Amino acid sequence: MKPHAEIAEVWPRDGRVRLVGHIHGHPAEGRWRLLLTRRSHAEQRLDYPAQVKGDRFEGELPVADLAAATGTAEAEAEIGTGALVGVGVEEWDIHLTDGQVELRAGRRLDDIHGKKKIMVFPEQRVRGIGVRPYYTVKDNLSLECRTGAST
């Protein structure tokens, strides 16, 4: 199995998404950061400190940062009722990095396959954009930012 950041806990609440897990298959020395990469614009990245003790890591990211970075013309075009024009989805992939390697965040060591349909996390809304963690079809952890109607 490839080295990765094995996710143990996902806590989407209070305007933040907190992640707890273990570094699997790679030495955990040095300084680590959570790295978010916008899938449609790989050059657009956000990063946040991660605390590492042994092979355990913990970090959190503010939902407002994702909403600001994902902001689109549709999100800015609020109508008097607060409804948004159009619905768009942007996805952000999560990695743990020490500046040399990027370990994809996911959950693979639990023998539960197909997490995308099984594990559903709540959406948090800020400035007309809903942010929700989700597992991909490969059991990696990503974030979905949706403009428009709440899901």
Side-chain angles (χ1 to χ4, degrees):
M1 181 173 297
K2 287 174 51 174
H4 66 282
E6 179 72 12
I7 298 294
E9 300 174 29
V10 180
W11 297 93
R13 63 179 179 203
D14 301 326
R16 303 181 109 41
V17 177
R18 182 172 159 253
L19 303 175
V20 178
H22 293 83
I23 297 173
H24 179 78
H26 191 277
E29 295 97 22
R31 292 178 165 226
W32 290 85
R33 299 185 66 77
L34 288 175
L35 176 66
L36 281 59
T37 305
R38 190 172 179 178
R39 198 175 292 167
S40 65
H41 302 287
E43 72 282 354
Q44 189 174 6
R45 295 175 157 212
L46 301 171
D47 71 285
Y48 304 92
Q51 295 74 44
V52 177
K53 188 172 188 176
D55 69 347
R56 183 183 186 277
F57 72 87
E58 184 173 331
E60 62 181 33
L61 52 108
V63 172
D65 286 3
L66 285 160
T70 302
T72 63
E74 290 89 359
E76 300 301 325
E78 290 194 25
I79 300 175
T81 62
L84 298 175
V85 177
V87 174
V89 176
E90 284 290 341
E91 296 164 312
W92 293 77
D93 294 325
I94 304 171
H95 292 82
L96 192 65
T97 184
D98 63 357
Q100 301 295 315
V101 298
E102 294 179 6
L103 303 178
R104 188 67 166 97
R107 191 166 179 165
R108 301 184 188 98
L109 302 177
D110 61 4
D111 292 331
I112 300 172
H113 302 287
K115 290 176 194 64
K116 184 175 179 86
K117 293 181 180 178
I118 299 169
M119 297 181 177
V120 179
F121 298 102
E123 175 184 87
Q124 297 182 74
R125 294 193 67 78
V126 61
R127 292 195 297 272
I129 295 178
V131 178
R132 180 182 65 84
Y134 74 97
Y135 282 103
T136 68
V137 294
K138 293 183 178 180
D139 293 333
N140 293 319
L141 188 66
S142 292
L143 296 162
E144 175 186 82
C145 299
R146 182 178 297 269
T147 62
S150 182
T151 55

